[in-house]
Amino acid sequence: MEKEKISMSKIFEEVGVLDQTFKQKTLKNGVNTYIHSTPKFKTTTFCLFIHQNLARETASKTALLPFVLKRGSKSFPTSRKLNLFLEDLYGTNMGGDVLKRGERHIMQFFMEAVNHNYIGDKNILIKGLKAFRDMILDPLVENEGFKADYVNQEKEILKRNIESLYNDKFNYAIERCFQEMCKGEAFSIYKYGTVEDLALIDNKILYNYYRECLAHCPMDFFVLGDIDEEEITEIIEDIFSFERKEVKQVKTDFVSKFVQEPNYVEEKQDVSQGKLTMGFRTNTKYSDKDYYPLMVYNGILGGGTHSKLFQNVREKASLAYYAFSRLEKNKGLMLISCGIEFEDKEKAIDIINKQLDDIRKGNISDYEFDSTIKSLVNSFKEAADNPSMIISLYLDSIINGIQRTTEDIIYNLSKVTKADVINVAEKICLDTIFFLNKK
Amino acid sequence: MKTFMRERLFSKQIQNGLKVFVMPKKDYNKIFAMYSTHYGSIDSEFIVPDTGEQLKVPEGIAHFLEHKMFEMEYGNVFDKFAELGASSNAFTNYTNTTYLFSATSYFKENLQLLLEYVDTPYFTEASVEKEKGIITQELRMYEDEPEWQVLLNLLKCMYHKHPVRIDIGGTVESIQKIDVDTLYKCYNTFYHPSNMILFVIGCINPEEVFELVEETENAKNLVPQGDIKRIYPEEPTSVYKSSHKVHLDVNEPLFLTGFKDIDVGYDGMPLLKKEITTGILLEIMFGRSSELYERLYEKGLIDDRFNFGYEGQKDYGFCTIGGETKDPDQLYKEITESIYDNIKKGINIEDFERVKKKFMGEFISGFNSLEFIASNFVSYYHKNINIFDYLNVLEEITMEDVTKRLNSFFDFSRNATSVVMPK
């Protein structure tokens, strides 16, 4: 290795190609389309997002809906028929799920098909898109409800899915920490809803809810791949111009909260490793100017191998294999997670608190600071190499009503100073510690 | 130079035996590099090249060694990558150990750092002791992961002696026996450039890579090493045990059944052909478009996390089928009946042709991802397979191949089942 000093400016200069110039258009029925043509990828990705408020009354219905729609449309009345068709379209991938972004509950439907140039079937896109449209807009209906068998089977599967979070101790501990922390706030609702609410849904209730969503929920439709923009715009206008009513506003709720006495919650299970999770209020919004120093704060604290948590909890104290922090940017939360021996809990909390204190006091080395910025810039640039990351970052912009290109983000990161980081550190406060202990 | 799906692959062998491959992807922002040795957790008994000593090393040492490679005399190599704005990592599996980074600037410096640290062993007693604490927590984490436990127990059922039945990371007890001396012996045996491959993909010029690698590697004045003598125990064709059940703190049972492959002992193109053939067969029998999948799903015995796959290596191979289920016994019964039924009725041509199209599309789609290309290239390379032959081999596979495999592979004397039950 040359000993030459690594220049920060070089990191910022070499921005390269940041593919995210979507052409935006709103169809007459209020559906927003975002289309971008690029020869970079071997597939074409389609993504439809249907936005809803995260709320107890609707959460289980929102979660169940994509799974029921996947089961059958008028053109493909069974999953098996649809899968036979998709396999024949060179394994075109189609599906649906729900996302939780802050206090938004978003239904996501996607399709990814190989570009026709590689397989010599020019009609693959249009065939796939028709099936995709039918899955969302033309479901199998009987007696003014979805097919009852499908609804009942999917209810049962979703119920087991909710219950099986318990099997995944890592994510279970994180989810429980957020639940305890945000009691009484919509964010405490699990993305798949609750078993109790699920039991109240039947095929008619769900169908009515579906009609209401189609009529009123905001929708964003993305297309990304090696496509003819004009041609695809026409096709989409043609097949997605269904009738809708007035599009409602979906909220972006954010809670500012300064906690005096953190909440401690412990749960006992028959496990080999203790899972320590700590939830914080950052009191900083995604749309705030302070969001950039917040990203840097999180990076210094626990965003990689250069971070204080990795260096001190893992490398120096040898207490954990993983120890990291991450942001829930749409809700303004931060989470720390590590897996430790049960008896090391106090020791780990002490070390973590020391790191938080150090940042607050400005004990940030140039190495920690520079490495964090470089690593953030690196990850934003890398995101432009991945179709779903490109779409996901753009979706964050839409949710928060603020347009940010990757260039903007990188530019703003380059302006962050240690003083800015110390400044956001003042606003970050510990809300809840959740510890998964042994029995 | 080879051309494939509008991609070009450049290769060069360095004097000391290291193989270097570069695939330029000009419109990507990053480069992704993997430096990999053909050495994994199953290589636990071998002849030390300089002394001729036959050595049996503690379980989990390949993985332990991977952790310790990041330590240099000047400190931790993670820090150097962070200074260069790159993200670095490594992993160990049954058959290889791979070091990697991705970066969007300072390509040459990062590449040089990758070569430098993997080529420089530096182990001290204190740092080896410290690592035991970290790896113990890694092993504990896996103890609480039912998916990992169910697979591990299945392999313990299938294999009498072959080290694939041992966890890649070893056990909390076995890693206590690891010391500096043994780490060096393993390193010197398996980290010679002749046993390694470097694969670089992204917005980089092949000539630049070759030049840099040659300069760095030639400075070490190493000569190619002869073949490494690895010793594996004689493995019977039968399974060790037909079933195993454990109780963990979970809500729902987890089920995994598998068949042990006895058609083993070869690598290269025939292995690739066997892998794809078996993959097609499993997809036809258990995939989303199969009658069995539809029936199991409607009965509520499986959900969309139901999974299956085939793992083929030179000296062993097996398939796995399973997932979370409310009733492992019933699920096993249905799968078994369906296998008998398939053997009786045979495969039909529409299913065969359709699944081939699906495989073709999925392989091409994978080429969106630099990580997909690199990790497949590297892991297949260690099996003497060039991944760019994939589509040709897929094309060549016939109904007869699949039918033959159907009739030989699903032998119930080589079937084992592993279940995790709630407490």
Side-chain angles (χ1 to χ4, degrees):
Chain A
M1 275 288 304
E2 292 172 59
K3 290 279 176 275
E4 147 201 37
K5 178 140 174 53
I6 308 302
S7 127
M8 286 299 282
S9 62
K10 192 167 170 191
I11 301 266
F12 295 116
E13 274 163 24
E14 291 183 349
V15 168
V17 203
L18 297 170
D19 265 322
Q20 51 161 302
T21 44
F22 285 101
K23 273 199 189 127
Q24 190 189 338
K25 189 174 173 183
T26 304
L27 304 183
K28 284 197 196 83
N29 61 6
V31 174
N32 300 308
T33 61
Y34 307 84
I35 297 176
H36 179 55
S37 171
T38 167
K40 187 162 165 173
F41 302 117
K42 299 233 172 335
T43 58
T44 312
T45 305
F46 298 85
C47 242
L48 175 71
F49 298 102
I50 304 180
H51 300 251
Q52 178 60 293
N53 294 312
L54 182 63
R56 178 88 202 239
E57 314 82 83
T58 52
S60 296
K61 286 185 276 192
T62 308
L64 184 59
L65 197 45
F67 296 102
V68 170
L69 291 176
K70 276 199 283 190
R71 289 300 300 277
S73 62
K74 290 204 181 87
S75 49
F76 295 100
T78 68
S79 308
R80 179 154 182 254
K81 288 202 168 109
L82 179 62
N83 280 316
L84 288 166
F85 174 77
L86 293 174
E87 285 176 3
D88 207 46
L89 284 188
Y90 295 88
T92 293
N93 190 10
M94 195 181 287
D97 202 345
V98 279
L99 309 172
K100 177 172 144 184
R101 293 272 175 105
E103 298 200 337
R104 269 196 203 199
H105 208 182
I106 303 170
M107 287 175 258
Q108 179 195 25
F109 298 91
F110 61 89
M111 179 177 102
E112 191 183 12
V114 182
N115 189 279
H116 63 85
N117 290 322
Y118 300 102
I119 47 163
D121 178 355
K122 192 118 198 351
N123 296 320
I124 180 168
L125 271 195
I126 184 82
K127 284 187 205 160
L129 261 177
K130 279 191 176 140
F132 186 59
R133 177 215 168 267
D134 289 353
M135 169 173 78
I136 302 158
L137 298 177
D138 205 7
L140 207 55
V141 176
E142 54 180 37
N143 305 323
E144 287 167 37
F146 289 117
K147 193 175 151 86
D149 283 353
Y150 288 174
V151 173
N152 293 333
Q153 284 161 12
E154 291 304 321
K155 272 171 70 178
E156 181 57 29
I157 284 172
L158 190 59
K159 173 177 173 270
R160 282 163 45 202
N161 200 341
I162 294 168
E163 287 168 348
S164 72
L165 175 64
Y166 186 85
N167 296 5
D168 177 357
K169 307 302 176 193
F170 172 85
N171 284 309
Y172 178 84
I174 292 173
E175 190 67 27
R176 287 286 295 117
C177 183
F178 281 141
Q179 276 174 6
E180 289 293 335
M181 178 170 173
C182 299
K183 260 186 195 160
E185 295 167 47
F187 194 74
S188 65
I189 299 164
Y190 185 42
K191 73 167 179 170
Y192 290 133
T194 64
V195 173
E196 298 74 40
D197 294 340
L198 196 58
L200 306 173
I201 303 171
D202 67 21
N203 64 325
K204 290 203 172 76
I205 294 173
L206 191 66
Y207 186 62
N208 286 334
Y209 178 67
Y210 160 76
R211 303 258 310 245
E212 200 186 300
C213 290
L214 279 194
H216 298 291
C217 288
M219 292 190 195
D220 295 303
F221 191 76
F222 285 84
V223 185
L224 179 64
D226 193 358
I227 36 122
D228 179 332
E229 283 181 12
E230 271 178 38
E231 190 189 16
I232 211 85
T233 307
E234 258 175 50
I235 296 172
I236 287 171
E237 282 190 29
D238 185 35
I239 63 180
F240 281 93
S241 287
F242 56 101
E243 222 171 290
R244 308 187 64 202
K245 304 222 172 78
E246 199 189 336
V247 178
K248 69 170 180 181
Q249 287 281 323
V250 178
K251 61 183 178 172
T252 312
D253 241 14
F254 170 82
V255 177
S256 186
K257 204 171 165 189
F258 289 88
V259 187
Q260 295 305 320
E261 193 54 44
N263 188 15
Y264 177 82
V265 183
E266 191 174 291
E267 194 175 306
K268 289 183 169 148
Q269 289 184 17
D270 203 346
V271 286
S272 299
Q273 185 180 61
K275 301 275 193 262
L276 176 64
T277 48
M278 299 166 81
F280 297 79
R281 305 276 175 176
T282 68
N283 294 300
T284 303
K285 282 186 208 172
Y286 182 78
S287 52
D288 288 350
K289 216 167 83 275
D290 265 359
Y291 183 69
Y292 297 102
L294 177 64
M295 277 197 274
V296 178
Y297 173 96
N298 174 63
I300 293 169
L301 178 65
T305 55
H306 59 273
S307 70
K308 286 183 182 290
L309 292 179
F310 188 90
Q311 293 292 339
N312 292 287
V313 180
R314 171 174 153 143
E315 292 297 309
K316 291 213 180 85
S318 191
L319 291 187
Y321 169 64
Y322 70 89
F324 66 88
S325 65
R326 72 175 185 218
L327 297 172
E328 205 313 338
K329 55 189 156 192
N330 297 301
K331 171 76 181 168
L333 307 179
M334 186 179 76
L335 177 105
I336 292 178
S337 167
C338 56
I340 53 173
E341 287 293 338
F342 305 101
E343 53 271 24
D344 286 337
K345 184 190 75 189
E346 295 305 330
K347 211 157 133 195
I349 293 176
D350 285 348
I351 296 173
I352 291 168
N353 280 331
K354 167 90 170 47
Q355 309 316 309
L356 295 162
D357 266 350
D358 275 352
I359 304 184
R360 221 173 285 130
K361 287 182 195 143
N363 291 334
I364 303 165
S365 69
D366 287 345
Y367 163 73
E368 288 165 340
F369 185 79
D370 292 350
S371 299
T372 294
I373 301 219
K374 286 172 194 163
S375 136
L376 286 168
V377 171
N378 188 42
S379 61
F380 281 107
K381 286 203 242 170
E382 276 195 22
D385 289 343
N386 179 322
S388 52
M389 285 302 295
I390 295 172
I391 293 173
S392 175
L393 282 172
Y394 210 86
L395 181 66
D396 284 328
S397 297
I398 294 172
I399 292 171
N400 292 284
I402 176 166
Q403 283 295 323
R404 266 181 195 154
T405 63
T406 304
E407 280 96 337
D408 294 338
I409 296 174
I410 292 174
Y411 174 79
N412 282 297
L413 280 170
S414 76
K415 297 288 168 220
V416 174
T417 63
K418 281 188 192 171
D420 297 332
V421 174
I422 297 164
N423 203 31
V424 290
E426 284 303 320
K427 295 194 284 177
I428 294 173
C429 63
L430 177 62
D431 185 307
T432 297
I433 298 178
F434 177 86
F435 187 55
L436 184 59
N437 207 341
K438 67 176 169 189
K439 271 185 179 160
Chain B
M1 189 192 87
K2 284 187 175 175
T3 310
F4 174 80
M5 290 197 311
R6 301 185 186 172
E7 310 287 1
R8 290 169 310 153
L9 179 72
F10 299 81
S11 63
K12 189 161 200 170
Q13 179 153 1
I14 310 296
Q15 274 168 13
N16 63 19
L18 176 66
K19 273 83 61 183
V20 186
F21 296 87
V22 185
M23 193 162 156
K25 287 276 241 180
K26 291 284 182 231
D27 49 359
Y28 277 64
N29 287 324
K30 71 173 164 195
I31 73 159
F32 182 74
M34 285 185 141
Y35 191 22
S36 177
T37 165
H38 186 193
Y39 168 51
S41 67
I42 62 167
D43 300 306
S44 51
E45 199 171 354
F46 55 90
I47 311 271
V48 181
D50 340 331
T51 60
E53 169 196 10
Q54 181 168 337
L55 195 64
K56 193 162 169 31
V57 293
E59 291 160 0
I61 197 166
H63 170 255
F64 199 103
L65 181 55
E66 172 230 300
H67 272 237
K68 282 335 293 169
M69 286 313 299
F70 286 87
E71 200 126 317
M72 299 286 272
E73 198 167 358
Y74 57 70
N76 199 313
V77 89
F78 279 129
D79 303 355
K80 294 279 169 194
F81 277 112
E83 278 177 21
L84 290 165
S87 77
S88 62
N89 212 336
F91 61 85
T92 308
N93 59 30
Y94 291 112
T95 54
N96 40 83
T97 311
T98 303
Y99 300 83
L100 55 97
F101 75 83
S102 72
T104 50
S105 52
Y106 288 109
F107 301 136
K108 286 170 83 174
E109 289 83 351
N110 279 304
L111 204 50
Q112 198 167 353
L113 179 58
L114 176 70
L115 292 171
E116 185 189 78
Y117 89 86
V118 179
D119 290 347
T120 315
Y122 177 77
F123 315 127
T124 64
E125 254 171 61
S127 81
V128 167
E129 285 315 304
K130 188 209 75 180
E131 207 64 30
K132 288 179 182 170
I134 295 171
I135 294 179
T136 298
Q137 286 316 310
E138 188 178 359
L139 296 172
R140 293 267 185 255
M141 177 179 84
Y142 285 117
E143 283 172 22
D144 287 336
E145 283 180 17
E147 274 107 10
W148 183 247
Q149 292 306 313
V150 82
L151 173 64
L152 217 58
N153 290 333
L154 181 66
L155 294 175
K156 281 197 195 304
C157 286
M158 275 194 213
Y159 291 90
H160 295 253
K161 291 176 180 160
H162 194 281
V164 69
R165 72 193 304 279
I166 309 295
D167 192 345
I168 293 161
T171 62
V172 173
E173 295 72 41
S174 75
I175 63 164
Q176 304 311 321
K177 295 178 211 141
I178 292 172
D179 59 28
V180 170
D181 183 49
T182 325
L183 283 171
Y184 275 109
K185 280 183 181 158
C186 291
Y187 180 87
N188 291 330
T189 306
F190 293 104
Y191 280 67
H192 190 282
S194 323
N195 194 40
M196 299 183 77
I197 164 183
L198 175 70
F199 186 88
V200 184
I201 183 166
C203 50
I204 196 161
N205 182 349
E207 279 315 310
E208 271 183 284
V209 175
F210 295 141
E211 212 174 286
L212 184 145
V213 177
E214 279 194 307
E215 204 177 295
T216 315
E217 290 297 311
N218 287 345
K220 288 172 199 145
N221 289 319
L222 286 169
V223 287
Q225 186 192 39
D227 278 349
I228 299 164
K229 180 89 187 101
R230 304 158 199 253
I231 300 156
Y232 302 116
E234 189 82 22
E235 174 66 30
T237 56
S238 64
V239 294
Y240 170 66
K241 199 174 153 187
S242 65
S243 69
H244 189 78
K245 190 186 277 184
V246 290
H247 292 265
L248 292 176
D249 198 349
V250 294
N251 260 337
E252 193 167 53
L254 202 61
F255 165 90
L256 202 64
T257 192
F259 288 83
K260 179 174 176 174
D261 196 356
I262 56 161
D263 176 20
V264 292
Y266 55 91
D267 58 9
M269 293 281 263
L271 175 57
L272 179 61
K273 186 174 172 184
K274 181 181 76 170
E275 270 191 60
I276 304 175
T277 305
T278 315
I280 293 173
L281 182 60
L282 292 169
E283 188 69 47
I284 293 171
M285 292 169 74
F286 307 109
R288 298 290 167 98
S289 63
S290 67
E291 279 171 29
L292 175 69
Y293 184 91
E294 183 176 55
R295 189 164 68 240
L296 296 175
Y297 193 94
E298 292 198 338
K299 285 186 178 174
L301 282 169
I302 58 167
D303 56 34
D304 62 5
R305 291 171 292 180
F306 179 75
N307 225 323
F308 54 88
Y310 175 77
E311 165 74 10
Q313 294 290 340
K314 187 178 172 207
D315 294 299
Y316 66 89
F318 58 86
C319 80
T320 58
I321 307 153
E324 295 198 350
T325 180
K326 59 182 181 193
D327 189 345
D329 292 337
Q330 187 59 29
L331 180 56
Y332 181 67
K333 192 167 163 268
E334 299 257 2
I335 289 173
T336 310
E337 281 170 8
S338 167
I339 291 171
Y340 280 123
D341 196 47
N342 271 292
I343 294 173
K344 207 169 87 193
K345 290 187 187 147
I347 298 298
N348 82 54
I349 185 88
E350 291 83 32
D351 290 340
F352 170 73
E353 295 294 348
R354 191 188 62 251
V355 167
K356 270 177 97 166
K357 280 168 102 177
K358 173 182 154 85
F359 276 34
M360 178 180 168
E362 286 178 347
F363 184 76
I364 297 170
S365 301
F367 273 65
N368 273 352
S369 155
L370 306 192
E371 289 83 353
F372 172 91
I373 300 169
S375 53
N376 273 288
F377 189 92
V378 166
S379 66
Y380 278 104
Y381 188 85
H382 288 311
K383 299 196 262 186
N384 273 320
I385 294 167
N386 183 341
I387 191 60
F388 294 91
D389 290 328
Y390 184 94
L391 290 178
N392 291 334
V393 173
L394 176 64
E395 186 57 41
E396 279 166 19
I397 292 170
T398 62
M399 273 285 282
E400 287 70 49
D401 294 325
V402 178
T403 306
K404 219 171 118 196
R405 186 69 169 152
L406 167 67
N407 292 324
S408 60
F409 185 53
F410 294 102
D411 179 331
F412 279 87
S413 71
R414 296 192 295 271
N415 171 237
T417 301
S418 160
V419 177
V420 171
M421 293 297 283
K423 284 206 164 166

